[in-house]
Amino acid sequence: MKPQRLTRREFLRSTLGSLTLASTGSAAGAKPNILFIAADDLGYRELGIQGCPDVPTPNIDSLAQNGVRFTDGYVSAPVCSPTRAGWITGRYQQRFGHEFNTGSEAQAGPDVGLPLDQTTLADRLKSLGYVTGAVGKWHLGYDPKFHPLKRGFDEFFGFLGGAHPYLPTPGRPGAIFRGTERIEEREYLTEAFAREALRFIDAHHQQPFFLYLCFNAVHNPLQATEKYLARFASIQDSRRRTFAAMLSAMDDAVGQVLARLRQYGLEENTLIVFVSDNGGPTQATTSRNDPLRGFKGQVLEGGIRVPFLMQWKRHLPAGRVYGEPVIALDILPTAVAAAGGKIEPGSVDGVNLLPYLTGKATGAPHQYLYWRFGAQAAIRQGDWKAVRLQTGEWQLYNLREDIAESRDLAKENPKKLAELREAWESWNRELMPPRWGAPRRRAEPGTRVRRRQAKAG
Ligand code: CA
């Protein structure tokens, strides 16, 4: 068929039409929405797609089936707050002294929080024209100057600390805020966060949005409602049963959010990341990390290697399993690149993963990944990992052959260990001392023996 020539009026109309479409975010090529979903203390093993045998997570798993699953996805700390400081800035948090948890509100001084000279992902996306919302756990400072609304977010619903009960406590309001107003939440908290995420999408589906959705599931305390507990009547251990119910509730919540995106036709124009903030504290909550060694609070693999998924339909391959080491610091530059923004060279440690996932770039995104958490340290290079335990002893592992870090090769291969230690020292010289110390943990009833794993929020 012969192409028709458009009259000037028709041309204008069609151009304006596509501009309108673009501004609603529904046209191909429009800025994608960014949906960041975090789980809390979810161990490496605790998704169906990660091999979990007793808790189905079909909605979260769908992100891997429709996108990318990172087998070697890390966070930059083995506990909540410093990991969050890392992923929200794209920088190793020890560069700005955010090495440890903030502690409770009573413990944290007015200067304990994400330093104000740091630029957040929300700041960056806001300047690119995004509306930005945070729902869930914040854990980057209590003082008003550290509030999400001061750190690039237009809206906030959630709590500021490291943990919060899930069940309502009538007459004894918790610490849930809408904006800066404390409210009394009457729903199971995971369901409340889903409700607020849907509300945010309903309000902003016609413009590019960034939703930072941080569930506190499956962090302590172990609490669930009968609706979810009933699904796991076959699990005998009551703690495991409650954990399963909490995880199942979070999976339902993720399913609701994904369904809402589909309802607005936004699924293909939304970059979705799912990640846990640290490994499982197995003894405290049953959250499992196997086959990895170690737990939350440790820089052994079980503390820092986490479930990590990324979906962006039609942009990223479906069902890809990506094995090169990546880190949650990469989320910021990846999201900014997807949004069409630029990162000043040298200003972040993360790497834009998009070219690696689409095959435009080959090789590994990182030559080294590094960790420092008080006396503990680690460095990964390719298959190799050197780790300094709390005792000060350095060990060397080949993760390709020994994912469980069970055979210390330090004596067998001192040259490799020396090389890695030197690279770690070089990185370490760029860091500053922690701005505050590791918080002393108030003993919670019944948790005394579990402190080692449960500490740190
Ligand atoms: Ca955590």
Side-chain angles (χ1 to χ4, degrees):
M1 214 165 77
K2 205 174 159 193
Q4 284 183 310
R5 287 185 73 111
L6 299 176
T7 65
R8 184 176 156 77
R9 178 173 292 181
E10 283 168 337
F11 173 78
L12 279 175
R13 197 188 298 134
S14 75
T15 306
L16 289 173
S18 55
L19 283 174
T20 308
L21 267 177
S23 68
T24 64
S26 53
K31 283 186 191 302
N33 307 300
I34 308 293
L35 171 57
F36 178 103
I37 307 173
D40 198 343
D41 289 10
L42 185 72
Y44 190 70
R45 183 73 183 280
E46 298 289 13
L47 291 176
I49 199 86
Q50 298 281 111
C52 176
D54 57 348
V55 190
T57 52
N59 294 297
I60 300 172
D61 292 354
S62 77
L63 298 173
Q65 286 143 4
N66 298 318
V68 180
R69 181 169 77 89
F70 299 96
T71 59
D72 294 46
Y74 290 92
V75 281
S76 54
V79 297
C80 313
S81 182
T83 281
R84 286 155 205 268
W87 72 32
I88 211 164
T89 61
R91 307 184 69 210
Y92 283 112
Q93 65 279 356
Q94 306 91 338
R95 292 195 188 282
F96 47 88
H98 200 131
E99 188 156 338
F100 297 114
N101 266 327
T102 58
S104 69
E105 187 164 8
Q107 290 172 318
D111 293 323
V112 174
L114 181 71
L116 299 178
D117 58 358
Q118 299 302 309
T119 306
T120 70
L121 177 54
D123 291 325
R124 291 177 183 272
L125 292 175
K126 198 172 162 67
S127 72
L128 291 168
Y130 281 67
V131 60
T132 54
V135 172
K137 167 166 159 175
W138 179 239
H139 210 187
L140 290 171
Y142 299 92
D143 196 81
K145 62 180 174 286
F146 297 125
H147 192 279
L149 299 184
K150 298 278 176 59
R151 306 313 301 268
F153 288 100
D154 297 311
E155 299 180 18
F156 172 62
F157 180 92
F159 64 92
L160 300 174
H164 195 283
Y166 297 84
L167 297 172
T169 50
R172 209 160 51 87
I176 303 293
F177 292 82
R178 181 183 300 286
T180 55
E181 296 295 317
R182 196 180 282 247
I183 59 122
E184 185 173 348
E185 178 55 57
R186 296 201 169 89
E187 284 194 78
Y188 183 62
L189 197 54
T190 301
E191 293 176 341
F193 290 158
R195 179 196 72 215
E196 296 299 323
L198 300 184
R199 177 180 298 188
F200 180 83
I201 295 168
D202 286 344
H204 303 296
H205 65 92
Q206 291 186 313
Q207 63 193 111
F209 64 75
F210 167 45
L211 175 56
Y212 180 70
L213 175 55
C214 293
F215 293 102
N216 57 322
V218 289
H219 192 290
N220 260 336
L222 291 176
Q223 292 180 346
T225 56
E226 197 49 43
K227 173 181 172 186
Y228 303 106
L229 287 166
R231 297 176 183 175
F232 300 98
S234 61
I235 297 181
Q236 295 302 311
D237 177 77
S238 71
R239 289 166 62 248
R240 181 66 187 174
R241 186 178 174 215
T242 308
F243 176 89
M246 293 164 70
L247 176 51
S248 195
M250 178 166 64
D251 188 68
D252 276 20
V254 170
Q256 285 175 34
V257 172
L258 298 180
R260 193 59 58 98
L261 292 180
R262 275 194 291 277
Q263 183 187 317
Y264 288 119
L266 295 177
E267 202 183 20
E268 292 178 342
N269 200 36
T270 303
L271 169 64
I272 307 171
V273 178
F274 178 91
V275 67
S276 176
D277 69 338
N278 50 252
T282 311
Q283 202 177 351
T285 66
T286 81
S287 190
R288 290 169 63 165
N289 308 309
D290 50 305
L292 309 179
R293 173 183 169 201
F295 308 97
K296 174 179 180 178
Q298 301 178 327
V299 299
L300 291 163
E301 293 290 282
I304 54 175
R305 199 201 285 203
V306 293
F308 198 151
L309 314 172
M310 191 177 287
Q311 174 188 308
W312 189 12
K313 285 190 168 181
R314 292 205 293 183
H315 293 264
L316 298 180
R320 174 143 196 213
V321 177
Y322 189 79
E324 297 287 352
V326 301
I327 190 162
L329 308 179
D330 299 333
I331 295 167
L332 181 143
T334 302
V336 169
K342 289 266 183 302
I343 304 269
E344 322 78 72
S347 66
V348 302
D349 292 299
V351 169
N352 170 18
L353 296 178
L354 297 176
Y356 293 92
L357 304 178
T358 56
K360 286 203 185 91
T362 53
H366 297 272
Q367 187 184 4
Y368 298 105
L369 293 177
Y370 310 92
W371 293 265
R372 188 180 81 182
F373 185 61
Q376 297 182 64
I379 177 169
R380 176 153 183 192
Q381 178 206 35
D383 296 344
W384 292 99
K385 181 181 172 190
V387 55
R388 186 177 70 195
L389 305 177
Q390 191 78 35
T391 57
E393 181 199 355
W394 280 92
Q395 300 181 338
L396 178 69
Y397 295 100
N398 184 314
L399 295 173
R400 189 69 51 199
E401 296 163 3
D402 178 24
I403 193 175
E405 295 173 291
S406 63
R407 291 191 307 279
D408 178 12
L409 304 174
K411 291 203 170 63
E412 213 171 286
N413 201 339
K415 203 171 148 212
K416 189 70 192 173
L417 178 58
E419 176 196 323
L420 290 177
R421 284 183 62 173
E422 196 178 312
W424 184 88
E425 291 292 352
S426 166
W427 171 75
N428 187 49
R429 281 191 288 273
E430 300 172 2
L431 309 180
M432 64 178 276
R435 284 178 191 260
W436 58 86
R440 287 216 338 268
R441 178 82 174 166
R442 262 183 313 128
E444 291 168 21
T447 61
R448 194 169 288 274
V449 296
R450 298 177 192 131
R451 271 179 60 183
R452 181 165 299 208
Q453 286 174 32
K455 71 181 174 186

PDB file of all heavy atoms in Angstrom, residues 86-115:
ATOM      1  N   GLY A  86      23.767   1.706  51.342  1.00  0.00           N
ATOM      2  CA  GLY A  86      24.501   1.371  50.112  1.00  0.00           C
ATOM      3  C   GLY A  86      23.606   1.396  48.887  1.00  0.00           C
ATOM      4  O   GLY A  86      23.893   2.064  47.899  1.00  0.00           O
ATOM      5  N   TRP A  87      22.476   0.701  48.962  1.00  0.00           N
ATOM      6  CA  TRP A  87      21.690   0.595  47.727  1.00  0.00           C
ATOM      7  C   TRP A  87      20.968   1.890  47.377  1.00  0.00           C
ATOM      8  O   TRP A  87      20.678   2.148  46.217  1.00  0.00           O
ATOM      9  CB  TRP A  87      20.789  -0.627  47.741  1.00  0.00           C
ATOM     10  CG  TRP A  87      19.575  -0.658  48.640  1.00  0.00           C
ATOM     11  CD1 TRP A  87      18.780   0.386  49.034  1.00  0.00           C
ATOM     12  CD2 TRP A  87      18.980  -1.841  49.228  1.00  0.00           C
ATOM     13  NE1 TRP A  87      17.746  -0.070  49.836  1.00  0.00           N
ATOM     14  CE2 TRP A  87      17.839  -1.424  49.970  1.00  0.00           C
ATOM     15  CE3 TRP A  87      19.295  -3.211  49.195  1.00  0.00           C
ATOM     16  CZ2 TRP A  87      17.018  -2.324  50.665  1.00  0.00           C
ATOM     17  CZ3 TRP A  87      18.480  -4.088  49.890  1.00  0.00           C
ATOM     18  CH2 TRP A  87      17.367  -3.649  50.623  1.00  0.00           C
ATOM     19  N   ILE A  88      20.702   2.739  48.365  1.00  0.00           N
ATOM     20  CA  ILE A  88      19.973   3.971  48.044  1.00  0.00           C
ATOM     21  C   ILE A  88      20.911   5.072  47.535  1.00  0.00           C
ATOM     22  O   ILE A  88      20.468   6.062  46.967  1.00  0.00           O
ATOM     23  CB  ILE A  88      19.128   4.449  49.258  1.00  0.00           C
ATOM     24  CG1 ILE A  88      17.869   5.181  48.772  1.00  0.00           C
ATOM     25  CG2 ILE A  88      19.949   5.301  50.215  1.00  0.00           C
ATOM     26  CD1 ILE A  88      16.808   5.365  49.812  1.00  0.00           C
ATOM     27  N   THR A  89      22.231   4.867  47.719  1.00  0.00           N
ATOM     28  CA  THR A  89      23.214   5.821  47.193  1.00  0.00           C
ATOM     29  C   THR A  89      24.043   5.252  46.044  1.00  0.00           C
ATOM     30  O   THR A  89      24.692   6.015  45.327  1.00  0.00           O
ATOM     31  CB  THR A  89      24.210   6.253  48.282  1.00  0.00           C
ATOM     32  OG1 THR A  89      24.917   5.089  48.748  1.00  0.00           O
ATOM     33  CG2 THR A  89      23.516   6.928  49.461  1.00  0.00           C
ATOM     34  N   GLY A  90      24.069   3.921  45.923  1.00  0.00           N
ATOM     35  CA  GLY A  90      24.920   3.293  44.911  1.00  0.00           C
ATOM     36  C   GLY A  90      26.386   3.286  45.297  1.00  0.00           C
ATOM     37  O   GLY A  90      27.252   2.989  44.486  1.00  0.00           O
ATOM     38  N   ARG A  91      26.675   3.625  46.560  1.00  0.00           N
ATOM     39  CA  ARG A  91      28.059   3.731  47.021  1.00  0.00           C
ATOM     40  C   ARG A  91      28.302   2.796  48.200  1.00  0.00           C
ATOM     41  O   ARG A  91      27.400   2.581  49.024  1.00  0.00           O
ATOM     42  CB  ARG A  91      28.358   5.167  47.494  1.00  0.00           C
ATOM     43  CG  ARG A  91      28.019   6.237  46.482  1.00  0.00           C
ATOM     44  CD  ARG A  91      28.433   7.609  47.004  1.00  0.00           C
ATOM     45  NE  ARG A  91      29.890   7.723  47.061  1.00  0.00           N
ATOM     46  CZ  ARG A  91      30.557   8.469  47.934  1.00  0.00           C
ATOM     47  NH1 ARG A  91      29.897   9.153  48.857  1.00  0.00           N
ATOM     48  NH2 ARG A  91      31.864   8.504  47.911  1.00  0.00           N
ATOM     49  N   TYR A  92      29.517   2.289  48.293  1.00  0.00           N
ATOM     50  CA  TYR A  92      29.870   1.564  49.507  1.00  0.00           C
ATOM     51  C   TYR A  92      29.655   2.509  50.694  1.00  0.00           C
ATOM     52  O   TYR A  92      30.265   3.591  50.766  1.00  0.00           O
ATOM     53  CB  TYR A  92      31.337   1.116  49.459  1.00  0.00           C
ATOM     54  CG  TYR A  92      31.563  -0.086  48.575  1.00  0.00           C
ATOM     55  CD1 TYR A  92      32.283   0.023  47.375  1.00  0.00           C
ATOM     56  CD2 TYR A  92      31.077  -1.341  48.940  1.00  0.00           C
ATOM     57  CE1 TYR A  92      32.508  -1.084  46.575  1.00  0.00           C
ATOM     58  CE2 TYR A  92      31.300  -2.454  48.139  1.00  0.00           C
ATOM     59  CZ  TYR A  92      32.004  -2.329  46.957  1.00  0.00           C
ATOM     60  OH  TYR A  92      32.224  -3.422  46.171  1.00  0.00           O
ATOM     61  N   GLN A  93      28.804   2.086  51.609  1.00  0.00           N
ATOM     62  CA  GLN A  93      28.366   2.970  52.687  1.00  0.00           C
ATOM     63  C   GLN A  93      29.491   3.312  53.662  1.00  0.00           C
ATOM     64  O   GLN A  93      29.406   4.300  54.387  1.00  0.00           O
ATOM     65  CB  GLN A  93      27.176   2.345  53.425  1.00  0.00           C
ATOM     66  CG  GLN A  93      27.487   1.047  54.169  1.00  0.00           C
ATOM     67  CD  GLN A  93      27.503  -0.191  53.266  1.00  0.00           C
ATOM     68  OE1 GLN A  93      27.206  -0.103  52.078  1.00  0.00           O
ATOM     69  NE2 GLN A  93      27.858  -1.345  53.830  1.00  0.00           N
ATOM     70  N   GLN A  94      30.566   2.497  53.648  1.00  0.00           N
ATOM     71  CA  GLN A  94      31.699   2.812  54.543  1.00  0.00           C
ATOM     72  C   GLN A  94      32.455   4.039  54.046  1.00  0.00           C
ATOM     73  O   GLN A  94      33.260   4.613  54.764  1.00  0.00           O
ATOM     74  CB  GLN A  94      32.653   1.627  54.635  1.00  0.00           C
ATOM     75  CG  GLN A  94      31.998   0.313  55.041  1.00  0.00           C
ATOM     76  CD  GLN A  94      31.540  -0.490  53.813  1.00  0.00           C
ATOM     77  OE1 GLN A  94      31.331   0.058  52.732  1.00  0.00           O
ATOM     78  NE2 GLN A  94      31.375  -1.803  53.987  1.00  0.00           N
ATOM     79  N   ARG A  95      32.218   4.433  52.804  1.00  0.00           N
ATOM     80  CA  ARG A  95      32.862   5.661  52.299  1.00  0.00           C
ATOM     81  C   ARG A  95      32.367   6.886  53.067  1.00  0.00           C
ATOM     82  O   ARG A  95      33.060   7.891  53.142  1.00  0.00           O
ATOM     83  CB  ARG A  95      32.550   5.880  50.816  1.00  0.00           C
ATOM     84  CG  ARG A  95      33.179   4.874  49.888  1.00  0.00           C
ATOM     85  CD  ARG A  95      33.130   5.376  48.450  1.00  0.00           C
ATOM     86  NE  ARG A  95      33.557   4.351  47.514  1.00  0.00           N
ATOM     87  CZ  ARG A  95      34.825   4.026  47.296  1.00  0.00           C
ATOM     88  NH1 ARG A  95      35.790   4.645  47.932  1.00  0.00           N
ATOM     89  NH2 ARG A  95      35.123   3.074  46.437  1.00  0.00           N
ATOM     90  N   PHE A  96      31.138   6.793  53.591  1.00  0.00           N
ATOM     91  CA  PHE A  96      30.587   7.939  54.330  1.00  0.00           C
ATOM     92  C   PHE A  96      30.216   7.561  55.758  1.00  0.00           C
ATOM     93  O   PHE A  96      29.375   8.194  56.393  1.00  0.00           O
ATOM     94  CB  PHE A  96      29.426   8.594  53.569  1.00  0.00           C
ATOM     95  CG  PHE A  96      28.384   7.638  53.019  1.00  0.00           C
ATOM     96  CD1 PHE A  96      27.308   7.247  53.785  1.00  0.00           C
ATOM     97  CD2 PHE A  96      28.487   7.150  51.714  1.00  0.00           C
ATOM     98  CE1 PHE A  96      26.346   6.385  53.284  1.00  0.00           C
ATOM     99  CE2 PHE A  96      27.528   6.282  51.198  1.00  0.00           C
ATOM    100  CZ  PHE A  96      26.450   5.899  51.979  1.00  0.00           C
ATOM    101  N   GLY A  97      30.849   6.517  56.257  1.00  0.00           N
ATOM    102  CA  GLY A  97      30.755   6.221  57.685  1.00  0.00           C
ATOM    103  C   GLY A  97      29.502   5.503  58.155  1.00  0.00           C
ATOM    104  O   GLY A  97      29.291   5.323  59.343  1.00  0.00           O
ATOM    105  N   HIS A  98      28.672   5.050  57.197  1.00  0.00           N
ATOM    106  CA  HIS A  98      27.415   4.391  57.573  1.00  0.00           C
ATOM    107  C   HIS A  98      27.649   2.874  57.633  1.00  0.00           C
ATOM    108  O   HIS A  98      27.035   2.100  56.901  1.00  0.00           O
ATOM    109  CB  HIS A  98      26.323   4.724  56.550  1.00  0.00           C
ATOM    110  CG  HIS A  98      24.926   4.517  57.051  1.00  0.00           C
ATOM    111  ND1 HIS A  98      23.943   5.465  56.923  1.00  0.00           N
ATOM    112  CD2 HIS A  98      24.340   3.477  57.685  1.00  0.00           C
ATOM    113  CE1 HIS A  98      22.805   5.016  57.436  1.00  0.00           C
ATOM    114  NE2 HIS A  98      23.033   3.799  57.907  1.00  0.00           N
ATOM    115  N   GLU A  99      28.533   2.486  58.550  1.00  0.00           N
ATOM    116  CA  GLU A  99      28.992   1.092  58.557  1.00  0.00           C
ATOM    117  C   GLU A  99      28.093   0.177  59.383  1.00  0.00           C
ATOM    118  O   GLU A  99      28.047  -1.028  59.152  1.00  0.00           O
ATOM    119  CB  GLU A  99      30.431   1.050  59.089  1.00  0.00           C
ATOM    120  CG  GLU A  99      31.100  -0.302  58.979  1.00  0.00           C
ATOM    121  CD  GLU A  99      32.613  -0.189  58.958  1.00  0.00           C
ATOM    122  OE1 GLU A  99      33.143   0.898  58.606  1.00  0.00           O
ATOM    123  OE2 GLU A  99      33.282  -1.185  59.283  1.00  0.00           O
ATOM    124  N   PHE A 100      27.393   0.765  60.355  1.00  0.00           N
ATOM    125  CA  PHE A 100      26.608  -0.060  61.281  1.00  0.00           C
ATOM    126  C   PHE A 100      25.148   0.364  61.307  1.00  0.00           C
ATOM    127  O   PHE A 100      24.776   1.420  60.789  1.00  0.00           O
ATOM    128  CB  PHE A 100      27.197   0.034  62.694  1.00  0.00           C
ATOM    129  CG  PHE A 100      28.600  -0.492  62.786  1.00  0.00           C
ATOM    130  CD1 PHE A 100      29.661   0.365  63.083  1.00  0.00           C
ATOM    131  CD2 PHE A 100      28.876  -1.839  62.559  1.00  0.00           C
ATOM    132  CE1 PHE A 100      30.958  -0.115  63.155  1.00  0.00           C
ATOM    133  CE2 PHE A 100      30.171  -2.319  62.642  1.00  0.00           C
ATOM    134  CZ  PHE A 100      31.214  -1.463  62.938  1.00  0.00           C
ATOM    135  N   ASN A 101      24.351  -0.465  61.980  1.00  0.00           N
ATOM    136  CA  ASN A 101      22.947  -0.137  62.168  1.00  0.00           C
ATOM    137  C   ASN A 101      22.784   1.136  62.995  1.00  0.00           C
ATOM    138  O   ASN A 101      23.691   1.539  63.724  1.00  0.00           O
ATOM    139  CB  ASN A 101      22.230  -1.296  62.853  1.00  0.00           C
ATOM    140  CG  ASN A 101      21.581  -2.234  61.856  1.00  0.00           C
ATOM    141  OD1 ASN A 101      21.134  -1.801  60.799  1.00  0.00           O
ATOM    142  ND2 ASN A 101      21.532  -3.507  62.184  1.00  0.00           N
ATOM    143  N   THR A 102      21.601   1.733  62.876  1.00  0.00           N
ATOM    144  CA  THR A 102      21.346   2.972  63.603  1.00  0.00           C
ATOM    145  C   THR A 102      21.001   2.726  65.066  1.00  0.00           C
ATOM    146  O   THR A 102      21.032   3.647  65.866  1.00  0.00           O
ATOM    147  CB  THR A 102      20.163   3.735  62.971  1.00  0.00           C
ATOM    148  OG1 THR A 102      19.019   2.873  62.991  1.00  0.00           O
ATOM    149  CG2 THR A 102      20.474   4.137  61.552  1.00  0.00           C
ATOM    150  N   GLY A 103      20.647   1.484  65.419  1.00  0.00           N
ATOM    151  CA  GLY A 103      20.189   1.229  66.785  1.00  0.00           C
ATOM    152  C   GLY A 103      18.756   1.715  66.961  1.00  0.00           C
ATOM    153  O   GLY A 103      18.121   2.205  66.019  1.00  0.00           O
ATOM    154  N   SER A 104      18.255   1.572  68.156  1.00  0.00           N
ATOM    155  CA  SER A 104      16.877   1.997  68.425  1.00  0.00           C
ATOM    156  C   SER A 104      16.808   3.518  68.446  1.00  0.00           C
ATOM    157  O   SER A 104      17.830   4.204  68.498  1.00  0.00           O
ATOM    158  CB  SER A 104      16.417   1.440  69.761  1.00  0.00           C
ATOM    159  OG  SER A 104      17.130   2.088  70.800  1.00  0.00           O
ATOM    160  N   GLU A 105      15.580   4.044  68.444  1.00  0.00           N
ATOM    161  CA  GLU A 105      15.419   5.493  68.446  1.00  0.00           C
ATOM    162  C   GLU A 105      16.041   6.097  69.708  1.00  0.00           C
ATOM    163  O   GLU A 105      16.621   7.184  69.674  1.00  0.00           O
ATOM    164  CB  GLU A 105      13.930   5.858  68.353  1.00  0.00           C
ATOM    165  CG  GLU A 105      13.710   7.346  68.172  1.00  0.00           C
ATOM    166  CD  GLU A 105      12.310   7.679  67.692  1.00  0.00           C
ATOM    167  OE1 GLU A 105      11.455   6.774  67.642  1.00  0.00           O
ATOM    168  OE2 GLU A 105      12.073   8.850  67.357  1.00  0.00           O
ATOM    169  N   ALA A 106      15.914   5.356  70.810  1.00  0.00           N
ATOM    170  CA  ALA A 106      16.479   5.855  72.073  1.00  0.00           C
ATOM    171  C   ALA A 106      18.013   5.871  72.021  1.00  0.00           C
ATOM    172  O   ALA A 106      18.649   6.759  72.595  1.00  0.00           O
ATOM    173  CB  ALA A 106      15.999   4.982  73.226  1.00  0.00           C
ATOM    174  N   GLN A 107      18.588   4.914  71.326  1.00  0.00           N
ATOM    175  CA  GLN A 107      20.054   4.823  71.248  1.00  0.00           C
ATOM    176  C   GLN A 107      20.642   5.812  70.250  1.00  0.00           C
ATOM    177  O   GLN A 107      21.748   6.312  70.434  1.00  0.00           O
ATOM    178  CB  GLN A 107      20.473   3.418  70.801  1.00  0.00           C
ATOM    179  CG  GLN A 107      20.253   2.322  71.812  1.00  0.00           C
ATOM    180  CD  GLN A 107      20.528   0.951  71.193  1.00  0.00           C
ATOM    181  OE1 GLN A 107      20.135   0.684  70.063  1.00  0.00           O
ATOM    182  NE2 GLN A 107      21.206   0.103  71.938  1.00  0.00           N
ATOM    183  N   ALA A 108      19.912   6.025  69.151  1.00  0.00           N
ATOM    184  CA  ALA A 108      20.478   6.808  68.058  1.00  0.00           C
ATOM    185  C   ALA A 108      20.487   8.293  68.408  1.00  0.00           C
ATOM    186  O   ALA A 108      19.460   8.854  68.779  1.00  0.00           O
ATOM    187  CB  ALA A 108      19.668   6.569  66.783  1.00  0.00           C
ATOM    188  N   GLY A 109      21.628   8.918  68.311  1.00  0.00           N
ATOM    189  CA  GLY A 109      21.701  10.360  68.507  1.00  0.00           C
ATOM    190  C   GLY A 109      21.126  11.078  67.297  1.00  0.00           C
ATOM    191  O   GLY A 109      20.771  10.451  66.298  1.00  0.00           O
ATOM    192  N   PRO A 110      21.052  12.403  67.368  1.00  0.00           N
ATOM    193  CA  PRO A 110      20.455  13.169  66.259  1.00  0.00           C
ATOM    194  C   PRO A 110      21.267  13.110  64.964  1.00  0.00           C
ATOM    195  O   PRO A 110      20.755  13.459  63.918  1.00  0.00           O
ATOM    196  CB  PRO A 110      20.404  14.598  66.811  1.00  0.00           C
ATOM    197  CG  PRO A 110      21.406  14.639  67.913  1.00  0.00           C
ATOM    198  CD  PRO A 110      21.461  13.256  68.489  1.00  0.00           C
ATOM    199  N   ASP A 111      22.514  12.671  65.057  1.00  0.00           N
ATOM    200  CA  ASP A 111      23.327  12.631  63.837  1.00  0.00           C
ATOM    201  C   ASP A 111      23.500  11.227  63.287  1.00  0.00           C
ATOM    202  O   ASP A 111      24.304  11.004  62.381  1.00  0.00           O
ATOM    203  CB  ASP A 111      24.691  13.273  64.097  1.00  0.00           C
ATOM    204  CG  ASP A 111      24.550  14.767  64.363  1.00  0.00           C
ATOM    205  OD1 ASP A 111      23.687  15.398  63.705  1.00  0.00           O
ATOM    206  OD2 ASP A 111      25.261  15.279  65.244  1.00  0.00           O
ATOM    207  N   VAL A 112      22.757  10.280  63.828  1.00  0.00           N
ATOM    208  CA  VAL A 112      22.832   8.906  63.333  1.00  0.00           C
ATOM    209  C   VAL A 112      21.783   8.718  62.234  1.00  0.00           C
ATOM    210  O   VAL A 112      20.585   8.692  62.498  1.00  0.00           O
ATOM    211  CB  VAL A 112      22.622   7.899  64.479  1.00  0.00           C
ATOM    212  CG1 VAL A 112      22.544   6.479  63.938  1.00  0.00           C
ATOM    213  CG2 VAL A 112      23.751   8.013  65.505  1.00  0.00           C
ATOM    214  N   GLY A 113      22.261   8.615  61.007  1.00  0.00           N
ATOM    215  CA  GLY A 113      21.369   8.461  59.858  1.00  0.00           C
ATOM    216  C   GLY A 113      22.165   8.651  58.581  1.00  0.00           C
ATOM    217  O   GLY A 113      23.356   9.009  58.625  1.00  0.00           O
ATOM    218  N   LEU A 114      21.521   8.419  57.457  1.00  0.00           N
ATOM    219  CA  LEU A 114      22.205   8.557  56.168  1.00  0.00           C
ATOM    220  C   LEU A 114      22.711   9.990  56.019  1.00  0.00           C
ATOM    221  O   LEU A 114      21.914  10.930  55.967  1.00  0.00           O
ATOM    222  CB  LEU A 114      21.239   8.223  55.020  1.00  0.00           C
ATOM    223  CG  LEU A 114      21.843   8.301  53.623  1.00  0.00           C
ATOM    224  CD1 LEU A 114      22.823   7.156  53.375  1.00  0.00           C
ATOM    225  CD2 LEU A 114      20.746   8.300  52.557  1.00  0.00           C
ATOM    226  N   PRO A 115      24.043  10.166  55.961  1.00  0.00           N
ATOM    227  CA  PRO A 115      24.597  11.527  55.937  1.00  0.00           C
ATOM    228  C   PRO A 115      23.935  12.404  54.863  1.00  0.00           C
ATOM    229  O   PRO A 115      23.664  11.949  53.756  1.00  0.00           O
ATOM    230  CB  PRO A 115      26.080  11.291  55.654  1.00  0.00           C
ATOM    231  CG  PRO A 115      26.346   9.933  56.213  1.00  0.00           C
ATOM    232  CD  PRO A 115      25.092   9.143  55.962  1.00  0.00           C
TER     233      PRO A 115
END
